[in-house]
Amino acid sequence: MSKVIKEYSLEDAIACTKYGKFNYFMIFLSGLVLACGMMETNCINIILPIAQCELNLSNVHKGLLGSVGYIGIILSSHFWGFMADTRGRKRVIVPALMLSFVFTVISTFSKTFWFLALFRFLNGFCVCAPQTIIYAFLGEFHSTHHRSRVLIIASVVYGLFVLIMPINGIAFLNRENWNLYIPGLNLNYNAWRIFMFMCSLPSFICAVVMIFFVPESPKFKYAQGDEAGTLQILQKIFKYNTGKSVDEYEVKTLIKDDEFLKGTEVNSKGFFYFMWSQTVPLFKSPHLKNQATACFLQFGICVVSNGFWTFFPEILNKVSLWTEDNPNGSATVCGVLDYFDRISTNSSIAINEDNPVCIKKLEFSTFQNIAMLTLLYSVFWFVISVVINKTGKLLIMVIVAAASGTSSILLMFIQVPMASVYIYLVLLLAGLNMSIVNTSTVELFPTTLRAMAVSISMMAGRIGSVAGSNFVGVSIKNFCTYTWLLPTILLFSGGLLSFTIPNINKRIK
């Protein structure tokens, strides 16, 4: 009598690979990839106070430079989501990381606002791929039992790696005497240019590591109708995790469910069928409500955590300088900004190197507070990773939204500038909810739509980043006090909307 070969579902097959060294490696690498995207996108905000005189930048220019990368992300989100769902996660992430590195290196040779803006846009276009796809990519190597926690732990790693940015700032940015003159370009390759280069280097490292050590997503292979390729990847993961031979992996065949069969059908269609099939279902029942909710939540979160971050380093620096000049004084954040606006107006109409508002280095406390922000993210993400299966996602999202929204109101009234800095930090912690919304999005959509769903929701978030950055750039000078109302409105409404997400309060034992 012949032996019956047991068929396994893909979820059970992934669970059979065990949880070990490969999973730890993927969490570590995914956290670094996320950090690469953050550093590539946000290093520009740290150099703006120093580069403003060299590049003749106004507040509007700085708002545009802080947001132009997000415009690139917005315009490319749909494209990268489509490519990841049809060509493969790894095949998209690796070249995108390489290109983002190249475009940042080119942007370090900028001599004008427009040249810098162009290559920050191109960098954003490429950064979008690893920043959004990595959530789906990492989640697809893990079973349902581990998925939520793993994605949050990767965020902890991400927060720790982002410390590279303030460390690079301390090491390179304040070196006023570091200048390499390039005769052919008539350019001084100075400290802020070196800082940007160093912030882009991890992207190159991640791309090289992924080329040699990371397989394609088993869920992607399965969704493409490739059972043999799926099993081959799972066998390798089993070998890495257990040290045993691939022959000892118990799964020999997989259940061919609707997702597998649709993959074999889709592979026989053309480009426009792919595009249509990946996008239209997300805006029809049963996915429309979940997609719209994820988009609104990400929009509000990114207005606050990214849009208001654009001017965070500059505001920190001005608060430090104001405190030195007025050790016993009291003022709101808006009062401090108004103080420097008056100095700028009275000293010179045009921005030039002799203007007192031209900053050649950032105060050490600025880097300390940026480092504190990233550490706070890591600590809170670690706490979330420990409790999320027990509490569910809803309670965490509501607490974060309430705390950040309340801090924005307080910034309108607090008269102690250094206290305002710490309240500002709490406001920017709204970004903690970004990973939780991404985790929910990964769980709500099938594999064939997952990367596209995350990409579209993150595209909405990047629209929020652009809107927030330019809103702050335009309003903070003339309507500073009222600027802080926007985060409160968006975060409180987002917290209420969180109650409508399916299974958002689900607890896993």
Side-chain angles (χ1 to χ4, degrees), residues 105-136:
V105 172
I106 294 173
S107 71
T108 64
F109 293 92
S110 300
K111 295 173 66 178
T112 66
F113 161 76
W114 290 109
F115 187 91
L116 182 58
L118 171 63
F119 282 94
R120 296 321 296 164
F121 168 80
L122 293 173
N123 174 266
F125 192 95
C126 296
V127 159
C128 175
Q131 255 193 324
T132 54
I133 298 167
I134 198 67
Y135 285 103

PDB file of all heavy atoms in Angstrom, residues 105-136:
ATOM      1  N   VAL A 105      24.447  60.325  -3.498  1.00  0.00           N
ATOM      2  CA  VAL A 105      25.849  60.694  -3.746  1.00  0.00           C
ATOM      3  C   VAL A 105      25.917  61.842  -4.756  1.00  0.00           C
ATOM      4  O   VAL A 105      26.659  62.821  -4.565  1.00  0.00           O
ATOM      5  CB  VAL A 105      26.651  59.476  -4.253  1.00  0.00           C
ATOM      6  CG1 VAL A 105      28.052  59.919  -4.700  1.00  0.00           C
ATOM      7  CG2 VAL A 105      26.772  58.431  -3.154  1.00  0.00           C
ATOM      8  N   ILE A 106      25.127  61.751  -5.830  1.00  0.00           N
ATOM      9  CA  ILE A 106      25.119  62.840  -6.829  1.00  0.00           C
ATOM     10  C   ILE A 106      24.622  64.147  -6.200  1.00  0.00           C
ATOM     11  O   ILE A 106      25.161  65.225  -6.469  1.00  0.00           O
ATOM     12  CB  ILE A 106      24.243  62.451  -8.041  1.00  0.00           C
ATOM     13  CG1 ILE A 106      24.872  61.274  -8.793  1.00  0.00           C
ATOM     14  CG2 ILE A 106      24.078  63.641  -8.990  1.00  0.00           C
ATOM     15  CD1 ILE A 106      23.999  60.719  -9.901  1.00  0.00           C
ATOM     16  N   SER A 107      23.609  64.043  -5.338  1.00  0.00           N
ATOM     17  CA  SER A 107      23.043  65.259  -4.736  1.00  0.00           C
ATOM     18  C   SER A 107      24.024  65.960  -3.809  1.00  0.00           C
ATOM     19  O   SER A 107      23.884  67.150  -3.528  1.00  0.00           O
ATOM     20  CB  SER A 107      21.744  64.939  -3.993  1.00  0.00           C
ATOM     21  OG  SER A 107      21.983  64.199  -2.812  1.00  0.00           O
ATOM     22  N   THR A 108      25.053  65.236  -3.335  1.00  0.00           N
ATOM     23  CA  THR A 108      26.050  65.891  -2.474  1.00  0.00           C
ATOM     24  C   THR A 108      26.910  66.886  -3.248  1.00  0.00           C
ATOM     25  O   THR A 108      27.660  67.654  -2.642  1.00  0.00           O
ATOM     26  CB  THR A 108      26.974  64.852  -1.797  1.00  0.00           C
ATOM     27  OG1 THR A 108      27.747  64.161  -2.793  1.00  0.00           O
ATOM     28  CG2 THR A 108      26.180  63.851  -0.983  1.00  0.00           C
ATOM     29  N   PHE A 109      26.816  66.867  -4.581  1.00  0.00           N
ATOM     30  CA  PHE A 109      27.567  67.819  -5.400  1.00  0.00           C
ATOM     31  C   PHE A 109      26.724  69.040  -5.793  1.00  0.00           C
ATOM     32  O   PHE A 109      27.102  69.805  -6.681  1.00  0.00           O
ATOM     33  CB  PHE A 109      28.092  67.124  -6.666  1.00  0.00           C
ATOM     34  CG  PHE A 109      29.131  66.074  -6.390  1.00  0.00           C
ATOM     35  CD1 PHE A 109      28.751  64.750  -6.204  1.00  0.00           C
ATOM     36  CD2 PHE A 109      30.465  66.408  -6.290  1.00  0.00           C
ATOM     37  CE1 PHE A 109      29.699  63.771  -5.939  1.00  0.00           C
ATOM     38  CE2 PHE A 109      31.428  65.434  -6.022  1.00  0.00           C
ATOM     39  CZ  PHE A 109      31.045  64.107  -5.841  1.00  0.00           C
ATOM     40  N   SER A 110      25.594  69.222  -5.130  1.00  0.00           N
ATOM     41  CA  SER A 110      24.685  70.325  -5.469  1.00  0.00           C
ATOM     42  C   SER A 110      25.308  71.681  -5.188  1.00  0.00           C
ATOM     43  O   SER A 110      25.946  71.898  -4.154  1.00  0.00           O
ATOM     44  CB  SER A 110      23.391  70.199  -4.655  1.00  0.00           C
ATOM     45  OG  SER A 110      22.737  68.976  -4.924  1.00  0.00           O
ATOM     46  N   LYS A 111      25.066  72.609  -6.114  1.00  0.00           N
ATOM     47  CA  LYS A 111      25.481  74.001  -5.929  1.00  0.00           C
ATOM     48  C   LYS A 111      24.287  74.946  -5.940  1.00  0.00           C
ATOM     49  O   LYS A 111      24.427  76.129  -5.639  1.00  0.00           O
ATOM     50  CB  LYS A 111      26.462  74.399  -7.036  1.00  0.00           C
ATOM     51  CG  LYS A 111      27.776  73.628  -6.979  1.00  0.00           C
ATOM     52  CD  LYS A 111      28.649  73.926  -8.191  1.00  0.00           C
ATOM     53  CE  LYS A 111      29.113  75.356  -8.216  1.00  0.00           C
ATOM     54  NZ  LYS A 111      30.005  75.616  -9.369  1.00  0.00           N
ATOM     55  N   THR A 112      23.118  74.413  -6.324  1.00  0.00           N
ATOM     56  CA  THR A 112      21.906  75.228  -6.379  1.00  0.00           C
ATOM     57  C   THR A 112      20.737  74.475  -5.752  1.00  0.00           C
ATOM     58  O   THR A 112      20.765  73.237  -5.617  1.00  0.00           O
ATOM     59  CB  THR A 112      21.521  75.569  -7.834  1.00  0.00           C
ATOM     60  OG1 THR A 112      21.155  74.353  -8.523  1.00  0.00           O
ATOM     61  CG2 THR A 112      22.679  76.240  -8.563  1.00  0.00           C
ATOM     62  N   PHE A 113      19.713  75.219  -5.393  1.00  0.00           N
ATOM     63  CA  PHE A 113      18.491  74.631  -4.844  1.00  0.00           C
ATOM     64  C   PHE A 113      17.878  73.634  -5.818  1.00  0.00           C
ATOM     65  O   PHE A 113      17.479  72.531  -5.429  1.00  0.00           O
ATOM     66  CB  PHE A 113      17.487  75.750  -4.522  1.00  0.00           C
ATOM     67  CG  PHE A 113      16.071  75.271  -4.376  1.00  0.00           C
ATOM     68  CD1 PHE A 113      15.656  74.610  -3.235  1.00  0.00           C
ATOM     69  CD2 PHE A 113      15.146  75.471  -5.406  1.00  0.00           C
ATOM     70  CE1 PHE A 113      14.346  74.157  -3.115  1.00  0.00           C
ATOM     71  CE2 PHE A 113      13.845  75.031  -5.287  1.00  0.00           C
ATOM     72  CZ  PHE A 113      13.445  74.367  -4.137  1.00  0.00           C
ATOM     73  N   TRP A 114      17.806  73.987  -7.099  1.00  0.00           N
ATOM     74  CA  TRP A 114      17.104  73.150  -8.070  1.00  0.00           C
ATOM     75  C   TRP A 114      17.819  71.831  -8.323  1.00  0.00           C
ATOM     76  O   TRP A 114      17.176  70.796  -8.497  1.00  0.00           O
ATOM     77  CB  TRP A 114      16.902  73.918  -9.390  1.00  0.00           C
ATOM     78  CG  TRP A 114      15.913  75.032  -9.241  1.00  0.00           C
ATOM     79  CD1 TRP A 114      16.160  76.372  -9.246  1.00  0.00           C
ATOM     80  CD2 TRP A 114      14.514  74.884  -9.011  1.00  0.00           C
ATOM     81  NE1 TRP A 114      15.007  77.076  -9.039  1.00  0.00           N
ATOM     82  CE2 TRP A 114      13.967  76.193  -8.895  1.00  0.00           C
ATOM     83  CE3 TRP A 114      13.657  73.789  -8.893  1.00  0.00           C
ATOM     84  CZ2 TRP A 114      12.621  76.426  -8.672  1.00  0.00           C
ATOM     85  CZ3 TRP A 114      12.311  74.010  -8.664  1.00  0.00           C
ATOM     86  CH2 TRP A 114      11.802  75.315  -8.549  1.00  0.00           C
ATOM     87  N   PHE A 115      19.143  71.848  -8.350  1.00  0.00           N
ATOM     88  CA  PHE A 115      19.906  70.611  -8.544  1.00  0.00           C
ATOM     89  C   PHE A 115      19.676  69.674  -7.357  1.00  0.00           C
ATOM     90  O   PHE A 115      19.423  68.473  -7.535  1.00  0.00           O
ATOM     91  CB  PHE A 115      21.393  70.926  -8.685  1.00  0.00           C
ATOM     92  CG  PHE A 115      22.243  69.728  -9.048  1.00  0.00           C
ATOM     93  CD1 PHE A 115      22.491  69.426 -10.372  1.00  0.00           C
ATOM     94  CD2 PHE A 115      22.795  68.922  -8.063  1.00  0.00           C
ATOM     95  CE1 PHE A 115      23.285  68.332 -10.715  1.00  0.00           C
ATOM     96  CE2 PHE A 115      23.573  67.823  -8.383  1.00  0.00           C
ATOM     97  CZ  PHE A 115      23.823  67.528  -9.719  1.00  0.00           C
ATOM     98  N   LEU A 116      19.752  70.225  -6.160  1.00  0.00           N
ATOM     99  CA  LEU A 116      19.526  69.417  -4.953  1.00  0.00           C
ATOM    100  C   LEU A 116      18.101  68.879  -4.936  1.00  0.00           C
ATOM    101  O   LEU A 116      17.872  67.700  -4.624  1.00  0.00           O
ATOM    102  CB  LEU A 116      19.801  70.264  -3.709  1.00  0.00           C
ATOM    103  CG  LEU A 116      19.658  69.559  -2.355  1.00  0.00           C
ATOM    104  CD1 LEU A 116      20.586  68.354  -2.260  1.00  0.00           C
ATOM    105  CD2 LEU A 116      19.945  70.536  -1.212  1.00  0.00           C
ATOM    106  N   ALA A 117      17.129  69.731  -5.281  1.00  0.00           N
ATOM    107  CA  ALA A 117      15.727  69.305  -5.279  1.00  0.00           C
ATOM    108  C   ALA A 117      15.490  68.170  -6.279  1.00  0.00           C
ATOM    109  O   ALA A 117      14.770  67.204  -5.979  1.00  0.00           O
ATOM    110  CB  ALA A 117      14.817  70.486  -5.603  1.00  0.00           C
ATOM    111  N   LEU A 118      16.093  68.254  -7.464  1.00  0.00           N
ATOM    112  CA  LEU A 118      15.917  67.217  -8.485  1.00  0.00           C
ATOM    113  C   LEU A 118      16.389  65.862  -7.986  1.00  0.00           C
ATOM    114  O   LEU A 118      15.665  64.856  -8.090  1.00  0.00           O
ATOM    115  CB  LEU A 118      16.690  67.599  -9.750  1.00  0.00           C
ATOM    116  CG  LEU A 118      16.769  66.505 -10.840  1.00  0.00           C
ATOM    117  CD1 LEU A 118      15.386  66.154 -11.365  1.00  0.00           C
ATOM    118  CD2 LEU A 118      17.696  66.940 -11.973  1.00  0.00           C
ATOM    119  N   PHE A 119      17.587  65.815  -7.407  1.00  0.00           N
ATOM    120  CA  PHE A 119      18.123  64.517  -6.999  1.00  0.00           C
ATOM    121  C   PHE A 119      17.543  64.029  -5.676  1.00  0.00           C
ATOM    122  O   PHE A 119      17.553  62.821  -5.413  1.00  0.00           O
ATOM    123  CB  PHE A 119      19.658  64.557  -6.985  1.00  0.00           C
ATOM    124  CG  PHE A 119      20.237  64.457  -8.366  1.00  0.00           C
ATOM    125  CD1 PHE A 119      20.563  65.600  -9.080  1.00  0.00           C
ATOM    126  CD2 PHE A 119      20.388  63.229  -8.975  1.00  0.00           C
ATOM    127  CE1 PHE A 119      21.058  65.516 -10.370  1.00  0.00           C
ATOM    128  CE2 PHE A 119      20.878  63.134 -10.263  1.00  0.00           C
ATOM    129  CZ  PHE A 119      21.213  64.271 -10.970  1.00  0.00           C
ATOM    130  N   ARG A 120      16.996  64.944  -4.857  1.00  0.00           N
ATOM    131  CA  ARG A 120      16.229  64.476  -3.699  1.00  0.00           C
ATOM    132  C   ARG A 120      14.914  63.853  -4.166  1.00  0.00           C
ATOM    133  O   ARG A 120      14.428  62.885  -3.579  1.00  0.00           O
ATOM    134  CB  ARG A 120      15.947  65.626  -2.723  1.00  0.00           C
ATOM    135  CG  ARG A 120      17.140  66.269  -2.066  1.00  0.00           C
ATOM    136  CD  ARG A 120      18.212  65.277  -1.677  1.00  0.00           C
ATOM    137  NE  ARG A 120      17.764  64.328  -0.658  1.00  0.00           N
ATOM    138  CZ  ARG A 120      18.385  63.187  -0.373  1.00  0.00           C
ATOM    139  NH1 ARG A 120      19.456  62.823  -1.034  1.00  0.00           N
ATOM    140  NH2 ARG A 120      17.918  62.392   0.570  1.00  0.00           N
ATOM    141  N   PHE A 121      14.339  64.393  -5.234  1.00  0.00           N
ATOM    142  CA  PHE A 121      13.132  63.800  -5.814  1.00  0.00           C
ATOM    143  C   PHE A 121      13.434  62.396  -6.347  1.00  0.00           C
ATOM    144  O   PHE A 121      12.695  61.447  -6.081  1.00  0.00           O
ATOM    145  CB  PHE A 121      12.597  64.682  -6.943  1.00  0.00           C
ATOM    146  CG  PHE A 121      11.545  64.017  -7.788  1.00  0.00           C
ATOM    147  CD1 PHE A 121      10.223  63.950  -7.348  1.00  0.00           C
ATOM    148  CD2 PHE A 121      11.878  63.439  -9.004  1.00  0.00           C
ATOM    149  CE1 PHE A 121       9.260  63.316  -8.116  1.00  0.00           C
ATOM    150  CE2 PHE A 121      10.911  62.809  -9.784  1.00  0.00           C
ATOM    151  CZ  PHE A 121       9.597  62.743  -9.336  1.00  0.00           C
ATOM    152  N   LEU A 122      14.520  62.251  -7.121  1.00  0.00           N
ATOM    153  CA  LEU A 122      14.873  60.953  -7.684  1.00  0.00           C
ATOM    154  C   LEU A 122      15.213  59.952  -6.581  1.00  0.00           C
ATOM    155  O   LEU A 122      14.873  58.764  -6.670  1.00  0.00           O
ATOM    156  CB  LEU A 122      16.058  61.103  -8.645  1.00  0.00           C
ATOM    157  CG  LEU A 122      15.771  61.896  -9.926  1.00  0.00           C
ATOM    158  CD1 LEU A 122      17.059  62.119 -10.711  1.00  0.00           C
ATOM    159  CD2 LEU A 122      14.732  61.179 -10.779  1.00  0.00           C
ATOM    160  N   ASN A 123      15.871  60.440  -5.531  1.00  0.00           N
ATOM    161  CA  ASN A 123      16.144  59.580  -4.386  1.00  0.00           C
ATOM    162  C   ASN A 123      14.845  59.091  -3.751  1.00  0.00           C
ATOM    163  O   ASN A 123      14.695  57.901  -3.444  1.00  0.00           O
ATOM    164  CB  ASN A 123      16.993  60.334  -3.364  1.00  0.00           C
ATOM    165  CG  ASN A 123      17.186  59.557  -2.077  1.00  0.00           C
ATOM    166  OD1 ASN A 123      16.428  59.730  -1.125  1.00  0.00           O
ATOM    167  ND2 ASN A 123      18.193  58.705  -2.037  1.00  0.00           N
ATOM    168  N   GLY A 124      13.894  60.011  -3.561  1.00  0.00           N
ATOM    169  CA  GLY A 124      12.604  59.623  -2.992  1.00  0.00           C
ATOM    170  C   GLY A 124      11.880  58.617  -3.865  1.00  0.00           C
ATOM    171  O   GLY A 124      11.232  57.688  -3.361  1.00  0.00           O
ATOM    172  N   PHE A 125      11.978  58.777  -5.180  1.00  0.00           N
ATOM    173  CA  PHE A 125      11.340  57.849  -6.112  1.00  0.00           C
ATOM    174  C   PHE A 125      11.828  56.421  -5.867  1.00  0.00           C
ATOM    175  O   PHE A 125      11.045  55.467  -5.904  1.00  0.00           O
ATOM    176  CB  PHE A 125      11.656  58.273  -7.553  1.00  0.00           C
ATOM    177  CG  PHE A 125      10.839  57.575  -8.595  1.00  0.00           C
ATOM    178  CD1 PHE A 125       9.684  58.159  -9.098  1.00  0.00           C
ATOM    179  CD2 PHE A 125      11.217  56.334  -9.081  1.00  0.00           C
ATOM    180  CE1 PHE A 125       8.918  57.516 -10.064  1.00  0.00           C
ATOM    181  CE2 PHE A 125      10.475  55.682 -10.036  1.00  0.00           C
ATOM    182  CZ  PHE A 125       9.313  56.266 -10.531  1.00  0.00           C
ATOM    183  N   CYS A 126      13.132  56.275  -5.585  1.00  0.00           N
ATOM    184  CA  CYS A 126      13.709  54.942  -5.366  1.00  0.00           C
ATOM    185  C   CYS A 126      13.551  54.461  -3.931  1.00  0.00           C
ATOM    186  O   CYS A 126      13.339  53.262  -3.693  1.00  0.00           O
ATOM    187  CB  CYS A 126      15.187  54.955  -5.747  1.00  0.00           C
ATOM    188  SG  CYS A 126      15.464  55.284  -7.494  1.00  0.00           S
ATOM    189  N   VAL A 127      13.654  55.374  -2.969  1.00  0.00           N
ATOM    190  CA  VAL A 127      13.542  55.003  -1.554  1.00  0.00           C
ATOM    191  C   VAL A 127      12.188  54.376  -1.250  1.00  0.00           C
ATOM    192  O   VAL A 127      12.057  53.516  -0.369  1.00  0.00           O
ATOM    193  CB  VAL A 127      13.778  56.242  -0.658  1.00  0.00           C
ATOM    194  CG1 VAL A 127      13.176  56.055   0.724  1.00  0.00           C
ATOM    195  CG2 VAL A 127      15.264  56.524  -0.548  1.00  0.00           C
ATOM    196  N   CYS A 128      11.167  54.779  -1.992  1.00  0.00           N
ATOM    197  CA  CYS A 128       9.818  54.276  -1.761  1.00  0.00           C
ATOM    198  C   CYS A 128       9.756  52.750  -1.755  1.00  0.00           C
ATOM    199  O   CYS A 128       9.059  52.148  -0.934  1.00  0.00           O
ATOM    200  CB  CYS A 128       8.884  54.827  -2.837  1.00  0.00           C
ATOM    201  SG  CYS A 128       7.208  54.166  -2.763  1.00  0.00           S
ATOM    202  N   ALA A 129      10.495  52.114  -2.676  1.00  0.00           N
ATOM    203  CA  ALA A 129      10.408  50.661  -2.821  1.00  0.00           C
ATOM    204  C   ALA A 129      10.814  49.913  -1.551  1.00  0.00           C
ATOM    205  O   ALA A 129      10.009  49.161  -0.987  1.00  0.00           O
ATOM    206  CB  ALA A 129      11.228  50.207  -4.023  1.00  0.00           C
ATOM    207  N   PRO A 130      12.052  50.086  -1.065  1.00  0.00           N
ATOM    208  CA  PRO A 130      12.413  49.354   0.152  1.00  0.00           C
ATOM    209  C   PRO A 130      11.608  49.771   1.376  1.00  0.00           C
ATOM    210  O   PRO A 130      11.296  48.933   2.226  1.00  0.00           O
ATOM    211  CB  PRO A 130      13.904  49.682   0.333  1.00  0.00           C
ATOM    212  CG  PRO A 130      14.160  50.896  -0.473  1.00  0.00           C
ATOM    213  CD  PRO A 130      13.201  50.841  -1.608  1.00  0.00           C
ATOM    214  N   GLN A 131      11.260  51.051   1.483  1.00  0.00           N
ATOM    215  CA  GLN A 131      10.541  51.521   2.666  1.00  0.00           C
ATOM    216  C   GLN A 131       9.171  50.869   2.809  1.00  0.00           C
ATOM    217  O   GLN A 131       8.724  50.594   3.913  1.00  0.00           O
ATOM    218  CB  GLN A 131      10.369  53.044   2.608  1.00  0.00           C
ATOM    219  CG  GLN A 131      11.298  53.772   3.561  1.00  0.00           C
ATOM    220  CD  GLN A 131      10.908  55.232   3.719  1.00  0.00           C
ATOM    221  OE1 GLN A 131      10.468  55.882   2.779  1.00  0.00           O
ATOM    222  NE2 GLN A 131      11.085  55.761   4.899  1.00  0.00           N
ATOM    223  N   THR A 132       8.483  50.641   1.702  1.00  0.00           N
ATOM    224  CA  THR A 132       7.129  50.102   1.776  1.00  0.00           C
ATOM    225  C   THR A 132       7.085  48.593   1.591  1.00  0.00           C
ATOM    226  O   THR A 132       6.364  47.899   2.303  1.00  0.00           O
ATOM    227  CB  THR A 132       6.231  50.768   0.724  1.00  0.00           C
ATOM    228  OG1 THR A 132       6.837  50.637  -0.569  1.00  0.00           O
ATOM    229  CG2 THR A 132       6.034  52.235   1.024  1.00  0.00           C
ATOM    230  N   ILE A 133       7.871  48.062   0.677  1.00  0.00           N
ATOM    231  CA  ILE A 133       7.791  46.632   0.360  1.00  0.00           C
ATOM    232  C   ILE A 133       8.383  45.772   1.468  1.00  0.00           C
ATOM    233  O   ILE A 133       7.977  44.624   1.657  1.00  0.00           O
ATOM    234  CB  ILE A 133       8.501  46.349  -0.980  1.00  0.00           C
ATOM    235  CG1 ILE A 133       7.811  47.106  -2.108  1.00  0.00           C
ATOM    236  CG2 ILE A 133       8.503  44.863  -1.306  1.00  0.00           C
ATOM    237  CD1 ILE A 133       8.601  47.151  -3.400  1.00  0.00           C
ATOM    238  N   ILE A 134       9.337  46.316   2.222  1.00  0.00           N
ATOM    239  CA  ILE A 134      10.025  45.509   3.226  1.00  0.00           C
ATOM    240  C   ILE A 134       9.055  44.974   4.281  1.00  0.00           C
ATOM    241  O   ILE A 134       9.268  43.889   4.837  1.00  0.00           O
ATOM    242  CB  ILE A 134      11.172  46.318   3.890  1.00  0.00           C
ATOM    243  CG1 ILE A 134      12.160  45.385   4.597  1.00  0.00           C
ATOM    244  CG2 ILE A 134      10.623  47.366   4.853  1.00  0.00           C
ATOM    245  CD1 ILE A 134      12.944  44.511   3.668  1.00  0.00           C
ATOM    246  N   TYR A 135       7.957  45.699   4.564  1.00  0.00           N
ATOM    247  CA  TYR A 135       6.973  45.199   5.535  1.00  0.00           C
ATOM    248  C   TYR A 135       6.342  43.909   5.042  1.00  0.00           C
ATOM    249  O   TYR A 135       6.253  42.920   5.777  1.00  0.00           O
ATOM    250  CB  TYR A 135       5.885  46.253   5.779  1.00  0.00           C
ATOM    251  CG  TYR A 135       6.321  47.402   6.641  1.00  0.00           C
ATOM    252  CD1 TYR A 135       6.642  48.636   6.080  1.00  0.00           C
ATOM    253  CD2 TYR A 135       6.410  47.275   8.025  1.00  0.00           C
ATOM    254  CE1 TYR A 135       7.040  49.709   6.867  1.00  0.00           C
ATOM    255  CE2 TYR A 135       6.809  48.337   8.818  1.00  0.00           C
ATOM    256  CZ  TYR A 135       7.120  49.555   8.238  1.00  0.00           C
ATOM    257  OH  TYR A 135       7.514  50.601   9.023  1.00  0.00           O
ATOM    258  N   ALA A 136       5.889  43.916   3.793  1.00  0.00           N
ATOM    259  CA  ALA A 136       5.297  42.701   3.220  1.00  0.00           C
ATOM    260  C   ALA A 136       6.347  41.608   3.099  1.00  0.00           C
ATOM    261  O   ALA A 136       6.082  40.433   3.403  1.00  0.00           O
ATOM    262  CB  ALA A 136       4.690  43.012   1.850  1.00  0.00           C
TER     263      ALA A 136
END
